[in-house]
Amino acid sequence: MSLRRDLRRRVAVGIAALVVVAVAAHSIFLLSAFEQLEVALIDTVVGEELQRFIAHSRNAPWRTPEVSERMTAYLARDAASRAALPAYLRDLPPGLHEIRIGDREHHAAIRDEPEGRFYMLYDVSAHDEREQRFVMVLVAGTVATLLAAVALGYWAAGRLVRPVHELARRVQGLGAGQPATPLAHGFVDEDVKGLAAAFDGYFEKVAVFIRREQEFTANVSHELRTPLTSIGTSCELLLQEATLSDAGRRRVQAIGRAAERLTSAADSLLFLARGGEPPRMEEVCIRECVEDAAEPVRELLQGKGVAFEMNVHQTAVVCTDWHALYLVASNLLRNAASYTDRGAVRIDYGDGRLSFEDSGPGIGPEELPRIFDRHYRGDASAGRDGCGLGLAIVR
């Protein structure tokens, strides 16, 4: 769900940002065009009024010309009349000018004619007020567009990411033992359909790999059973021979125990090969199972002078798969026996927890995150047997 929200939010923000940038650019363009058109219009009006003022001065110089209330006309016929002009006009050359008088902006048109220098001054404060109102309208429109874009973008993003969310839901629903239903089925959008098809191809490759691995493990387990059964049967027959010496009997018994341990290992391989199948749950005596797992390492511990302590009560049982418990215990005990050169290996059980403890070199804090990685061996593994699979199998 968080994936959907995050992607939907990103798409919505992207749509809103795109709309805002487009609207802002459009508004800036409109404002710039409005200003340019308004300046051109004002200059045209001032120029026309100046032309009317010049024509009136020539045709009816005795009559005061009619001009707009925001227009002010001047005529400087000589140096004395020019000196009487306002200071902001006195030194301006002929042409169009923008000047500020107080807090108001004015446009001035100046032209030299035979009768003298003509001036037309226009107060454009009304135009400035209209421009400010126009800017306010643009800002309000941009804000309204932003809000609408966010709402519309969030709604549109929900529809856009819905196929991705549906694909994520289907992928999360996959599990071991479920039928391989193609994820791409039912998607119309080509991009999502292509992504789903890529997932299908990947899952198919993984399924084939897991199936081959399980088949290989199961085949190894099956093929080991026949010779191990033959070895066990031969050992039983040999032990029935009356002429067998005591030393030979002990050797045959050792071979029989080794065959039993190999049979248990084959069963463990079969347990791993079952993968997602439910385990065969039964009441297992913890002490007996762990002692069977410890049998192969007892001689190694005795040869090193390492004590073996079993603090598990005979009546302690747990409902589990016997081979799973045996597999865990045998790997942990094999590691303990391999890495412990002095001290003791102790097994405790209490409050539902089975713990294995040894007095070996231990595991450094920097190595803890990787101890369950396949084929990983820490610094303490130098010069010792093993290939780094024990703890990966335990996990």
Side-chain angles (χ1 to χ4, degrees):
M1 199 63 179
S2 60
L3 171 64
R4 182 185 183 184
R5 288 198 187 101
D6 184 63
L7 183 58
R8 184 176 185 179
R9 188 183 302 113
R10 289 186 180 185
V11 174
V13 170
I15 293 176
L18 182 62
V19 171
V20 169
V21 170
V23 171
H26 186 254
S27 300
I28 293 173
F29 171 77
L30 287 179
L31 182 59
S32 176
F34 177 81
E35 290 180 346
Q36 292 178 7
L37 289 174
E38 189 174 43
V39 169
L41 177 61
I42 292 173
D43 290 341
T44 300
V45 170
V46 174
E48 291 176 352
E49 290 295 325
L50 179 62
Q51 183 63 37
R52 288 180 61 247
F53 177 47
I54 294 173
H56 180 273
S57 299
R58 289 174 178 172
N59 299 329
W62 62 86
R63 190 173 63 187
T64 304
E66 295 180 0
V67 294
S68 170
E69 62 178 1
R70 296 184 178 275
M71 296 280 188
T72 305
Y74 299 94
L75 173 58
R77 297 181 182 276
D78 50 28
S81 57
R82 185 178 299 178
L85 292 173
Y88 48 79
L89 289 177
R90 192 177 304 148
D91 298 326
L92 290 178
L96 297 174
H97 305 276
E98 294 182 11
I99 59 177
R100 181 166 292 277
I101 304 174
D103 58 349
R104 294 190 172 190
E105 184 179 352
H106 292 69
H107 282 222
I110 304 174
R111 186 185 302 176
D112 285 334
E113 294 293 337
E115 295 84 357
R117 178 168 289 183
F118 290 84
Y119 298 82
M120 184 62 65
L121 188 65
Y122 181 37
D123 183 358
V124 298
S125 57
H127 295 274
D128 290 340
E129 293 175 359
R130 283 197 299 271
E131 182 178 352
Q132 292 176 1
R133 289 196 296 270
F134 182 67
V135 171
M136 292 178 62
V137 170
L138 287 179
V139 172
T142 302
V143 173
T145 304
L146 172 61
L147 296 177
V150 170
L152 182 62
Y154 195 76
W155 174 82
R159 296 184 62 86
L160 290 174
V161 304
R162 187 177 300 168
V164 179
H165 172 66
E166 175 62 21
L167 177 60
R169 187 189 64 80
R170 292 188 185 183
V171 172
Q172 291 174 354
L174 295 177
Q178 293 186 356
T181 303
L183 295 173
H185 178 71
F187 289 106
V188 179
D189 185 83
E190 291 298 328
D191 293 330
V192 179
K193 192 172 183 178
L195 180 60
F199 273 118
D200 288 334
Y202 173 75
F203 289 141
E204 184 177 354
K205 292 179 182 178
V206 171
V208 170
F209 175 77
I210 294 176
R211 185 167 61 252
R212 287 179 178 175
E213 186 178 20
Q214 291 178 342
E215 290 175 353
F216 172 77
T217 309
N219 291 338
V220 170
S221 175
H222 179 269
E223 293 301 323
L224 285 176
R225 286 179 176 274
T226 300
L228 289 175
T229 301
S230 177
I231 292 174
T233 302
S234 299
C235 289
E236 291 178 359
L237 293 175
L238 283 173
L239 290 175
Q240 294 177 6
E241 293 286 341
T243 58
L244 189 64
S245 64
D246 293 339
R249 189 175 299 275
R250 287 193 297 272
R251 293 191 183 95
V252 172
Q253 290 174 344
I255 294 173
R257 289 195 298 271
E260 291 177 357
R261 291 195 293 271
L262 284 174
T263 302
S264 297
D267 291 336
S268 299
L269 290 174
L270 186 60
F271 172 80
L272 290 176
R274 289 205 303 267
E277 296 183 13
R280 295 172 293 186
M281 307 299 288
E282 58 183 333
E283 293 288 336
V284 177
C285 177
I286 299 176
R287 186 181 181 94
E288 291 181 0
C289 183
V290 174
E291 284 182 342
D292 288 346
E295 185 65 26
V297 300
R298 285 183 180 271
E299 293 184 4
L300 177 60
L301 293 176
Q302 290 176 358
K304 292 181 178 181
V306 177
F308 180 75
E309 302 176 8
M310 172 77 75
N311 299 320
V312 181
H313 198 271
Q314 188 65 40
T315 60
V317 295
V318 64
C319 185
T320 185
D321 187 297
W322 188 92
H323 294 100
L325 181 58
Y326 178 87
L327 190 63
V328 169
S330 62
N331 276 282
L332 293 178
L333 287 170
R334 192 180 305 117
N335 276 4
S338 176
Y339 288 91
T340 305
D341 297 326
R342 62 181 65 85
V345 173
R346 184 170 63 253
I347 303 173
D348 297 292
Y349 179 75
D351 297 329
R353 180 187 295 272
L354 181 64
S355 62
F356 296 76
E357 183 178 354
D358 62 67
S359 56
I363 302 173
E366 69 282 358
E367 295 178 330
L368 286 176
R370 299 193 58 191
I371 60 174
F372 291 108
D373 294 348
R374 295 174 64 85
H375 302 293
Y376 175 76
R377 306 187 70 201
D379 296 337
S381 302
R384 300 180 187 271
D385 295 334
C387 55
L389 290 175
L391 291 182
I393 294 176
V394 168
R395 185 173 190 178

